[in-house]
Amino acid sequence: MQFPESWLRTFCNPDLTTQQLADLLTMAGLEVEELQPVAPPFTGVVVGHVLEVAKHPDADRLNVCKVDAGTGAVLQIVCGAPNVRPGIKIPCATVGAELPPGADGKPFKIKLGKLRGVESQGMLCSARELGVSEESNGLHILADDAPIGQNIREHLKLDDTLFTLKLTPNLAHCLSVAGIAREVAALTGAPLTLPAVAPVKPEIDARVKVTVEAADLCGRFAGRVIRGVNPQAKTPDWMVDRLARCGQRSVSPLVDISNYVMFELGQPSHVFDLDKIHGDLAVRWGKAGEQLKLLNGNTITLDEQVGVIADGNQVESLAGIMGGDATAVGDDTRNVYLEAAFWWPKAIAGRARRYNFSTDASHRYERGVDPAPTADYIERITRLIIDICGGLAGPLDDQIVQKPDRKPVTLRLSRAQRVIGMPVTLTEVEQVLTRLDLPFTAQAKKDDTHLVVVPPSWRFDIQIEEDLIEEVVRVIGFDKLPKRAPKAPVTSQVRPEAQRGLYAVRRSVAARGYQEAITFSFVEEKWEADFAGNTNPIRVLNPIASPLAVMRSSLIGSQVEVLKTNLSRKADRVRIFEVGRVFKRDASVQDGAQTVAGFDQPVRVSGLAYGSADALQWGAAARNVDFFDVKGDVEALLAPRQAQFVAAEHPAFHPGRCAQVVVDGKAVGFVGELHPKWRQSYDLPLAPVLFELDADVLVQRVVPSFTNVPKMQSVYRDLALVVQDSTPHDALIAAITKAPSEGLVRGARLFDIYKPKTPVAGIADNERSLAVRVELRDDEQTLTDERIEAAMKAVLASLDSGIGARVRA
């Protein structure tokens, strides 16, 4: 929220400097995000009066002006502004003045000079040249009663500061200058002076019948008719200035008055053109299919979850959010209906965001607006309208349907002292509650005192005891809290040696040439269907963007999207990885400290490789990355644990180039080449190779253990075997190592594959020859030929029975 310091000090003026006031608000929980001067520094600018205007003898667009700047002499100033004319009062920079810096960053000094041969003794200024506005439509014309020669900073009150507060949602009562002033008065003890509101005496008997049909939408509705207004009246300069310093531009007097009271007192309101209302008004929930054209020009379709104000023909306003275009006030408006209401916060929250916009009114209503003084706010707006635009007011209609129920909250003195962490006396607590206008009754209990507080109508945030404790400590001052070191022992939690952190996992993946990417956990629903086969994803209740509507159950979609982004920026070789959570439905998960019932949230590690296998080099022939390159990366990440790669199918991967990764008999992920249909669908020139693994298996590591160096040498035997083309490598090695060889077989390695191009005796068309080296060793004694031959016979028997392999003739 933005407001000028001068406006705040009209309500409460503590003996504090601007910076001290900002520090006070920040320490009280109203964070001052920015302090900004209303205008940059400049000197030598006064109120000037244009006496005469004559055309420049040597320039069509310049005028020679006679100006009275209060110096005792009439100044001759050459001016090119299109709106200069005799009789107006404007800011006049005299010789020697320094204006705010220009584009070069240097102050602009006014000197005596000549323009096209005519002497100019100063400069007539626009608002932009003074730094008080970004817009410039010529000279900044002042009020007719502006004192000639007065310093322009004093006249326009430019020695002011704009406060920008970053308010948390619980501080709805501070969304107005009066609300902030109430807080300052409580914090400093300075007197609080709020605008006096006197009832406006009705002069006509004109009413609009309003029926509140939804008590869960509107708790109080007030309104009155005002006839004979002048919508083309000029909004007072003081009101325009205050609105501008709150970040609100002037629109028209009727709209400006409504906005002014909202910033002043925190009550949004709306002004209808009475002559455009058809019959009576009804406050109700919308109906499916109804449409409304809003003041911002958007036409929206309503449903039963949105509140509206409707007349006999159509919907006229989006309740608590924005009025409709059909009943908007304009230059031809003569009669108006003024409305202010209390809308229940739950009935307004999130409705504006459904239509992709937000308003000052909805921002306040969804946090809570004080329902008690609604009628007083109508009286305040009515008085301003009559004073500025004229008109005759009708009687005030005020319907109180249902007010918020303020339940008492009990504050225990002992509890407050324990939570705050320092001794707080009963007198101090009572003084704080009194300064905050929180009515209470004290009840003496055994060894304690209870203060029962009934929250006032404007405090929606006080619901539990801790809310009151917070009020006590922030008024007393957080700086008063004692600075004590924690007494609890600080013990470090040592990670087991058999585990490593995710940071170490990230370093390991990065060491393989991958770069980390961080993406949103919510993704497009199409990604879930394409890459995870998930047709029932977990939906986001309030997505930040319509495409990002579901929670991801796989990282693959995010990886492909990052790849597309890099390809669009002409990257031809991409290596990326991500460590992040995925979200899946799982009825077996129960509520816990880090779990939510019904949802599993494991951490996954995913990587993608695209383009050439190696960076630009000359030592080897260029080739594109393939399945086995990424499979090797996965093996390196899991080392020294041995993984098995079992042919499998996955919705995201090529049916014949996909494997499930199995470690210690447990499936931990997949590795594979992207499916051709997704490569085509997502416009990828080449197919990337991806992997996705459970992070749990990567953080586990084998603790090194000592083993004796073998005393006996190994014996190696080579086998030439004929097997079916479909025989997998893992089955071959398993058949050898699991042979009943009395533990002599220590390993086997495939070192050659032979597939004849022409028919060869002993090898059928669906077979191939494999050369395998088998290692045998006995750690206790030297192997004899007899034992070696017996072990090899056992290996051959295991190969024959296991995979149907035979020795090549």
Side-chain angles (χ1 to χ4, degrees):
M1 178 182 170
Q2 180 179 300
F3 62 91
E5 179 185 1
S6 59
W7 196 0
L8 174 64
R9 289 188 182 273
T10 61
F11 295 151
C12 182
N13 190 13
D15 187 17
L16 298 173
T17 65
T18 299
Q19 188 59 53
Q20 289 173 336
L21 179 59
D23 294 341
L24 175 74
L25 291 173
T26 298
M27 291 304 296
L30 285 70
E31 181 185 353
V32 178
E33 191 173 27
E34 183 181 16
L35 290 177
Q36 182 180 358
V38 170
F42 61 83
T43 59
V45 183
V46 298
V47 176
H49 183 209
V50 180
L51 303 176
E52 298 178 11
V53 177
K55 282 294 183 182
H56 191 288
D58 196 26
D60 294 336
R61 296 187 179 182
L62 296 180
N63 297 295
V64 180
C65 306
K66 300 294 184 181
V67 180
D68 180 6
T71 61
V74 176
L75 304 179
Q76 176 176 284
I77 298 177
V78 178
C79 175
N83 61 337
V84 65
R85 62 183 185 274
I88 63 172
K89 292 182 178 179
I90 36 73
C92 177
T94 58
V95 174
E98 283 194 4
L99 298 184
D104 58 357
K106 298 179 180 179
F108 183 65
K109 295 184 178 181
I110 303 300
K111 301 177 181 179
L112 184 65
K114 290 185 177 182
L115 290 176
R116 294 288 186 96
V118 177
E119 185 177 69
S120 182
Q121 299 169 333
M123 176 179 170
L124 306 185
C125 303
S126 67
R128 185 174 185 179
E129 289 164 339
L130 297 179
V132 298
S133 175
E134 291 297 327
E135 299 178 359
S136 178
N137 296 318
L139 299 178
H140 182 50
I141 300 177
L142 306 175
D144 294 338
D145 59 352
I148 298 173
Q150 184 182 28
N151 188 309
I152 200 68
R153 298 192 71 90
E154 178 183 351
H155 177 70
L156 295 178
K157 296 181 175 60
L158 299 181
D159 294 320
D160 196 0
T161 303
L162 299 181
F163 278 61
T164 302
L165 302 188
K166 187 178 181 180
L167 299 176
T168 51
N170 63 308
L171 297 175
H173 58 287
C174 294
L175 287 171
S176 66
V177 179
I180 297 168
R182 185 191 293 119
E183 289 291 304
V184 173
L187 294 169
T188 63
L192 177 65
T193 305
L194 295 178
V197 178
V200 176
K201 183 178 180 180
E203 298 182 83
I204 58 174
D205 186 17
R207 300 173 183 267
V208 172
K209 183 180 178 181
V210 179
T211 304
V212 179
E213 299 177 1
D216 57 341
L217 168 64
C218 179
R220 185 174 185 177
F221 191 95
R224 77 164 6 128
V225 172
I226 306 176
R227 291 188 178 276
V229 299
N230 177 16
Q232 299 186 40
K234 185 178 183 299
T235 304
D237 290 339
W238 58 267
M239 182 178 288
V240 173
D241 289 342
R242 283 182 173 177
L243 287 174
R245 294 175 188 184
C246 289
Q248 178 70 49
R249 66 179 181 89
S250 176
V251 179
S252 69
L254 292 172
V255 176
D256 292 345
I257 291 169
S258 175
N259 288 333
Y260 179 82
V261 174
M262 179 181 66
F263 286 113
E264 179 185 51
L265 302 175
Q267 171 67 58
S269 59
H270 186 63
V271 182
F272 294 87
D273 188 323
L274 179 62
D275 298 325
K276 298 177 182 177
I277 297 177
H278 306 283
D280 301 335
L281 293 177
V283 178
R284 58 173 175 80
W285 292 105
K287 299 176 182 177
E290 285 185 317
Q291 290 193 328
L292 171 64
K293 183 178 181 181
L294 297 169
L295 289 173
N296 61 8
N298 294 343
T299 299
I300 61 174
T301 301
L302 308 175
D303 58 25
E304 297 85 351
Q305 302 298 317
V306 181
V308 299
I309 301 175
D311 62 14
N313 291 356
Q314 61 186 357
V315 174
E316 300 294 0
S317 177
L318 200 57
I321 299 174
M322 184 180 288
D325 182 70
T327 54
V329 294
D331 291 343
D332 57 348
T333 298
R334 292 296 175 266
N335 307 306
V336 299
Y337 179 72
L338 174 61
E339 165 267 319
F342 168 70
W343 307 100
W344 290 100
K346 289 184 178 180
I348 304 300
R351 269 56 174 191
R353 289 187 292 276
R354 291 177 58 182
Y355 301 110
N356 298 319
F357 69 89
S358 180
T359 64
D360 288 322
S362 66
H363 183 76
R364 285 162 173 77
Y365 278 126
E366 64 188 7
R367 286 159 174 77
V369 172
D370 185 4
T374 303
D376 293 338
Y377 296 149
I378 288 284
E379 300 287 6
R380 171 69 171 161
I381 300 171
T382 302
R383 174 50 59 194
L384 289 172
I385 289 177
I386 293 175
D387 290 346
I388 295 172
C389 302
L392 301 175
L396 174 63
D397 290 325
D398 185 15
Q399 300 183 54
I400 300 177
V401 182
Q402 181 182 356
K403 286 186 177 182
D405 182 21
R406 299 301 191 194
K407 296 181 179 179
V409 180
T410 300
L411 171 63
R412 295 166 290 174
L413 183 61
S414 59
R415 170 69 174 168
Q417 293 172 340
R418 187 164 61 252
V419 172
I420 294 173
M422 70 176 185
V424 180
T425 66
L426 175 61
T427 302
E428 288 176 318
V429 175
E430 290 178 338
Q431 288 177 349
V432 169
L433 297 179
T434 301
R435 288 161 62 180
L436 289 171
D437 287 335
L438 300 178
F440 65 91
T441 57
Q443 299 176 356
K445 300 291 183 179
K446 184 180 179 180
D447 300 329
D448 200 358
T449 300
H450 292 188
L451 299 171
V452 181
V453 178
V454 179
S457 58
W458 64 85
R459 293 303 299 265
F460 286 80
D461 58 318
I462 297 179
Q463 299 178 358
I464 59 176
E465 185 177 18
E466 282 69 19
D467 295 331
L468 291 174
I469 296 174
E470 179 187 1
E471 295 299 301
V472 171
V473 69
R474 74 184 186 89
V475 173
I476 291 176
F478 290 108
D479 56 331
K480 301 289 196 325
L481 293 174
K483 298 178 181 178
R484 293 195 297 261
K487 295 182 179 179
V490 178
T491 56
S492 60
Q493 294 184 348
V494 180
R495 182 180 289 113
E497 190 177 2
Q499 289 185 1
R500 59 177 175 175
L502 282 176
Y503 181 74
V505 173
R506 289 183 171 94
R507 290 180 63 95
S508 298
V509 184
R512 304 295 302 175
Y514 293 79
Q515 292 182 313
E516 185 172 11
I518 300 175
T519 62
F520 285 128
S521 295
F522 20 84
V523 298
E524 294 187 29
E525 187 170 358
K526 183 177 185 297
W527 299 357
E528 281 296 291
D530 292 350
F531 301 119
N534 185 6
T535 58
N536 185 27
I538 301 170
R539 297 190 176 278
V540 181
L541 295 179
N542 187 22
I544 61 172
S546 53
L548 307 179
V550 301
M551 303 299 291
R552 64 186 179 188
S553 62
S554 170
L555 301 178
I556 295 175
S558 302
Q559 299 276 284
V560 173
E561 181 64 19
V562 174
L563 172 62
K564 289 186 62 180
T565 301
N566 280 271
L567 293 179
S568 68
R569 287 158 176 78
K570 308 302 181 184
D572 55 4
R573 184 176 186 269
V574 178
R575 297 288 189 281
I576 54 172
F577 78 96
E578 181 173 4
V579 179
R581 290 191 181 276
V582 298
F583 306 85
K584 302 184 294 182
R585 300 182 189 276
D586 187 344
S588 65
V589 178
Q590 303 296 320
D591 272 326
Q594 297 181 344
T595 59
V596 178
F599 300 98
D600 188 21
Q601 305 175 56
V603 179
R604 295 272 181 85
V605 179
S606 178
L608 177 148
Y610 175 91
S612 60
D614 300 305
L616 194 63
Q617 46 82 38
W618 54 269
R623 64 178 181 83
N624 289 327
V625 67
D626 60 21
F627 172 89
F628 296 101
D629 292 317
V630 177
K631 174 176 176 286
D633 290 335
V634 172
E635 289 177 322
L637 294 175
L638 293 170
R641 304 174 74 180
Q642 297 293 320
Q644 290 181 301
F645 295 85
V646 182
E649 291 187 0
H650 188 281
F653 295 142
H654 192 297
R657 300 173 187 174
C658 170
Q660 189 175 50
V661 184
V662 179
V663 177
D664 298 334
K666 179 182 178 182
V668 297
F670 285 87
V671 58
E673 182 181 299
L674 191 68
H675 199 292
K677 65 179 179 180
W678 305 138
R679 181 184 69 80
Q680 183 177 5
S681 175
Y682 288 85
D683 296 326
L684 301 177
L686 301 173
V689 184
L690 303 97
F691 69 86
E692 186 174 32
L693 305 173
D694 290 334
D696 288 343
V697 71
L698 290 174
V699 299
Q700 303 295 328
R701 59 182 177 181
V702 178
V703 179
S705 59
F706 173 77
T707 57
N708 290 319
V709 177
K711 297 179 180 180
M712 303 300 172
Q713 291 185 349
S714 296
V715 174
Y716 297 94
R717 291 290 184 269
D718 292 344
L719 295 176
L721 304 171
V722 177
V723 299
Q724 297 287 324
D725 286 338
S726 60
T727 302
H729 171 268
D730 288 350
L732 171 70
I733 301 301
I736 296 174
T737 55
K738 293 180 180 179
S741 61
E742 299 180 357
L744 297 184
V745 176
R746 297 304 178 93
R749 181 179 293 273
L750 175 68
F751 65 88
D752 188 32
I753 299 177
Y754 173 62
K755 179 69 176 179
K757 297 180 180 180
T758 57
V760 175
I763 302 178
D765 291 342
N766 62 343
E767 294 179 331
R768 56 183 170 177
S769 175
L770 306 180
V772 182
R773 177 162 294 176
V774 182
E775 178 186 6
L776 302 98
R777 187 179 69 247
D778 187 334
D779 293 333
E780 301 298 330
Q781 57 184 323
T782 303
L783 289 175
T784 62
D785 290 342
E786 291 78 7
R787 295 183 67 194
I788 294 173
E789 291 301 323
M792 293 304 299
K793 286 182 179 179
V795 168
L796 292 174
S798 177
L799 287 168
D800 180 38
S801 60
I803 59 174
R806 67 180 185 274
V807 176
R808 180 180 171 186

